[in-house]
Amino acid sequence: GLLCLLHQTLVSDNPFEFAKDHLVRMATQYSEHAVAIVDLFLTRFDPDHPNPGGREAECAARAAGIALAIDEEVAEPEYRRALLGLIGVVKAVLRTNVYVEDRFALGLKLNPTLLPCPDGVPNTVLFVLGGGFTGFHIRWRNLARGGVRVLRTCSEEEHMLETAVHYRNTYAAAQSQQLRNKDVPEGGSKGVILLTHMSSVERSVKAYARTLIDLCTPDPRLKTRMVDLAGKDELLYLGPDDDGFITPSFIDWIVQCGERCGIPQARALITSKR
């Protein structure tokens, strides 16, 4: 998940040098540093940390030590930049469901400035990584509504190309929805789920929706398993896109999932075009 986000931050600078497979090779070659960064992430969001009050200071010191080791031990400038960028990704995470035991996928709430914001900084950026899919959800206001689009690729090559522009296209679609919503109280948002050609639409949509709910619910059963560095409650409102993948049965399931996970007014969680 951290590598997926790193790829989104770097790919526009050099799509070949920072291709996904190159970043995986970097993490393999410098696995000691990569593992240290993952451990840093897990420590920062450990709800059972023995010293919660000193967690941020501990993690800041560890991050500085890892960065120093990378500067001294990584010869290739592009790999050095990528590994230091991976530390930046960890620092930009504000909330995660990584310690939620029955999670469907990994969810991360991000500082929106981690990723390119050419036309303004959105209110909220959520990222989801599941089996065979990735997803972004971007809101321009805390109270915002927009469709969820499912993009199923037809080949590995198409998936690679779409992955490189996944965040950029979601950002543009959310901004466009914000402009269309200028005369209504709700701001604009957009979700885009990117599937491999082998992925199940049903499993991916349900995992994506449940993970957004994990990140946004006020239910203490889930919130106690998440260290919240954002410090504010989330308001989640979704809708189907025009691609036809979000069917009425999915909408019913998402509402029921929201009710089970303690979302207030869960019946307003997602609208229908029925």
Side-chain angles (χ1 to χ4, degrees), residues 172-209:
Q175 186 190 41
S176 177
Q177 188 66 49
Q178 168 73 3
L179 295 174
R180 288 198 293 272
N181 288 11
K182 63 183 177 62
D183 296 323
V184 298
E186 301 160 343
S189 69
K190 182 64 71 173
V192 178
I193 311 171
L194 177 62
L195 280 64
T196 67
H197 66 290
M198 299 290 289
S199 299
S200 161
V201 172
E202 178 177 2
R203 285 202 302 268
S204 300
V205 169
K206 289 182 176 180
Y208 172 86

Side-chain angles (χ1 to χ4, degrees), residues 3 56 59 67 70 88-89 105 148 160-162 199 201 245 248 267:
L3 275 180
E56 279 299 289
C59 289
I70 290 169
V89 172
V148 176
M160 180 180 67
L161 294 172
E162 291 293 344
S199 299
V201 172
F245 282 109
R267 291 188 178 277

Side-chain angles (χ1 to χ4, degrees), residues 156-172:
E156 290 184 12
E157 292 78 11
E158 184 187 4
H159 185 262
M160 180 180 67
L161 294 172
E162 291 293 344
T163 296
V165 295
H166 187 185
Y167 171 77
R168 191 187 320 165
N169 287 348
T170 310
Y171 174 94

